[in-house]
């Protein structure tokens, strides 16, 4: 594996981790909001 | 060697996004949202947002599973050969897992957050698209588009049921409108790109039954679309704003399909009428559903009866 490939793999892993992290934060906020709305019913 | 190297790289997140067929999803989100907004009753904005999100996730999941299942077919067509799996940018199993994750998550979130009636219909629509359509009937019958059209007809029905919690005639009519709209919409496209489907052995109507039969069937569905699209007005489920919009749009649709039905094209034909019908069919669906929402909002605000 060349250093260029190593860098590219790290770059993609990082962007995927950021996307997944963002998704998890979004879902946590969404479930929090849903819970509050349901408690109001 | 480059192909092997490419496969060892983790797939770019953009390729996962591309698997969800974002352009198809935009129509799904729009019609789902219209079903939700046109339904009688109230839904909390957060719950409404959740419902639309789940419809979009499910469409993405079903689209992903479709591309996992059809990677070999996609590889043989110019239009689809650049998709992530046939182009070698993604491992097929990664796509499969992503598709299943999206599908399962969408149904669970819909069930827990919005309601189980909507969740069950959502699950049925995913299975219908991925299994009944993609695996079973698309490679077997030239009526595949008619059958596949039903899958695309689910979003407004689900959006409506997310609000009301039960299935009545109105959401079924919204389903029927998209069901009748899909064959002329897609066959108009298939008439001017048919060579690609013939190459990979998908029995598209123009290839199997010939273009004369396809053209007649386009007309049949366009004729049927007029009463179906106007039906919400006739049964009192929508008012005059929707009724007049639906009738006008459907009659233009019919007028554009008549020249398509009664002509014959040779090699090198510019296919102007077919392209015009296809382009209008997209405007048709957006305008029709926008008209419905406008009509219902006006009614709930007390502007019309």
């Amino acid at each position: 594996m060349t250093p260029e490939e190593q860098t590219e793999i790290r770059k993609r892993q990082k962007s995927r981790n950021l996307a997944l992290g963002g998704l998890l934060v979004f879902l946590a906020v969404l479930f929090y909001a849903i819970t509050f709305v349901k408690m109001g019913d | 060697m480059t192909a092997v190297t490419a496969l060892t790289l983790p797939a770019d997140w953009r390729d996962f996004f591309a698997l969800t067929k974002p352009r198809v999803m935009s129509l799904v989100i729009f019609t789902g949202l219209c079903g939700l907004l046109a339904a009688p009753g109230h839904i909390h904005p957060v719950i409404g947002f959740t419902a639309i999100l789940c419809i979009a996730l499910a469409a993405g999941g079903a689209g992903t599973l479709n591309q996992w299942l059809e990677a070999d077919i996609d590889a043989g067509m110019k239009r689809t050969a650049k998709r992530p799996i046939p182009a070698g940018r993604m491992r097929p199993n990664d796509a499969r897992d992503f598709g299943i994750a999206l599908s399962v998550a969408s149904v669970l979130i819909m069930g827990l957050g919005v309601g189980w009636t909507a969740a069950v219909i959502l699950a049925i629509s995913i299975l219908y698209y991925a299994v009944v359509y993609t695996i079973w009937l698309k490679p077997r019958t030239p009526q595949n588009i008619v059958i596949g059209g039903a899958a695309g007809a689910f979003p407004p029905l689900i959006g409506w049921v997310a609000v009301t919690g039960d299935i009545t005639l109105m959401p079924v009519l919204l389903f029927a409108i998209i069901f009748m709209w899909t064959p002329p919409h897609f066959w108009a496209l298939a008439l001017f790109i048919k060579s690609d489907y013939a190459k990979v052995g998908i029995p598209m109507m123009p290839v199997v039954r010939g273009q004369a039969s396809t053209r007649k069937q386009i007309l049949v569905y366009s004729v049927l679309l007029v009463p179906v699209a106007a039906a919400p007005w006739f049964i009192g489920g929508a008012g005059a704003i929707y009724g007049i919009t639906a009738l006008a749009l459907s009659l233009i649709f019919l007028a554009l399909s008549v020249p398509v039905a009664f002509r014959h094209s040779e090699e090198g034909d510019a296919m102007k009428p077919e392209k015009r019908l296809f382009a209008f069919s997209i405007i048709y669906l957006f305008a029709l559903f926008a008209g419905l929402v406008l009509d219902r909002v006006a009614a709930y605000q007390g502007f019309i009866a």
Side-chain angles (χ1 to χ4, degrees), chain B residues 16 18-21 59-69 85 94-100 102 129:
Chain B
F16 282 102
L19 280 179
T20 63
K21 300 190 180 181
T64 301
L65 290 173
N66 169 276
Q67 287 184 56
W68 168 61
L69 292 160
I85 307 172
D94 288 354
R96 178 200 61 193
D97 298 345
F98 181 59
I100 291 172
L102 282 180
Y129 184 71

Side-chain angles (χ1 to χ4, degrees), chain B:
Chain B
M1 193 61 217
T2 46
V4 176
T5 314
L7 276 176
T8 59
L9 277 175
D12 194 89
W13 68 269
R14 289 173 197 84
D15 285 325
F16 282 102
F17 184 66
L19 280 179
T20 63
K21 300 190 180 181
R23 294 230 313 254
V24 174
M25 203 196 275
S26 65
L27 199 65
V28 164
I29 290 174
F30 177 76
T31 57
L33 183 64
C34 288
L36 186 121
L37 292 174
H42 286 287
I43 188 166
H44 191 284
V46 171
I47 306 297
F49 171 81
T50 307
I52 298 304
L53 178 76
C54 289
I55 293 173
L57 285 180
T64 301
L65 290 173
N66 169 276
Q67 287 184 56
W68 168 61
L69 292 160
E70 293 193 328
D72 53 340
I73 295 169
D74 286 347
M77 292 201 291
K78 200 175 72 190
R79 184 173 65 88
T80 53
K82 294 271 183 287
R83 284 177 176 177
I85 307 172
R89 295 196 306 275
M90 174 160 323
R91 278 182 290 263
N93 284 356
D94 288 354
R96 178 200 61 193
D97 298 345
F98 181 59
I100 291 172
L102 282 180
S103 304
V104 171
S106 69
V107 173
L108 285 180
I109 298 172
M110 184 72 103
L112 294 167
V114 182
W116 286 103
T117 314
V120 167
I121 304 171
L122 193 66
I124 291 171
S125 72
I126 298 168
L127 290 173
Y128 184 89
Y129 184 71
V131 179
V132 177
Y133 170 67
T134 303
I135 299 179
W136 188 28
L137 292 169
K138 187 177 177 184
R140 282 184 179 77
T141 161
Q143 294 294 334
N144 48 18
I145 292 310
V146 179
I147 295 146
F154 275 106
L157 170 73
I158 297 168
W160 187 291
V161 171
V163 178
T164 62
D166 56 7
I167 303 169
T168 49
L169 187 55
M170 265 301 282
V172 173
L173 280 175
L174 300 184
F175 179 94
I177 290 167
I178 300 186
F179 182 75
M180 293 298 173
W181 166 88
T182 307
H185 161 75
F186 194 88
W187 284 334
L189 176 74
L191 279 171
F192 57 85
I193 59 159
K194 67 178 174 186
S195 56
D196 243 9
Y197 283 107
K199 213 175 83 187
V200 292
I202 291 289
M204 280 304 165
M205 193 61 82
V207 181
V208 182
R209 297 276 184 273
Q211 60 157 294
S213 168
T214 307
R215 288 169 185 284
K216 289 292 174 296
Q217 293 186 65
I218 285 176
L219 186 62
V220 170
Y221 281 97
S222 303
V223 170
L224 291 173
L225 187 58
V226 179
V228 171
W233 188 26
F234 296 149
I235 65 159
I241 295 175
Y242 170 79
I244 291 162
T245 307
L247 275 177
L249 286 167
S250 303
L251 290 174
I252 297 170
F253 195 93
L254 181 59
L256 288 174
S257 70
V258 168
V260 173
F262 295 106
R263 73 191 281 272
H264 184 87
S265 59
E266 300 295 340
E267 279 302 317
D269 194 296
M271 303 299 257
K272 279 249 174 63
E274 291 76 13
K275 286 174 179 166
R276 201 179 302 136
L277 178 63
F278 178 73
F280 180 75
S281 69
I282 296 166
I283 298 169
Y284 175 92
L285 207 65
F286 273 100
L288 186 88
F289 277 86
L292 177 67
V293 172
L294 202 67
D295 182 280
R296 289 298 80 197
V297 170
Y300 301 144
Q301 298 294 322
F303 298 142
I304 58 167

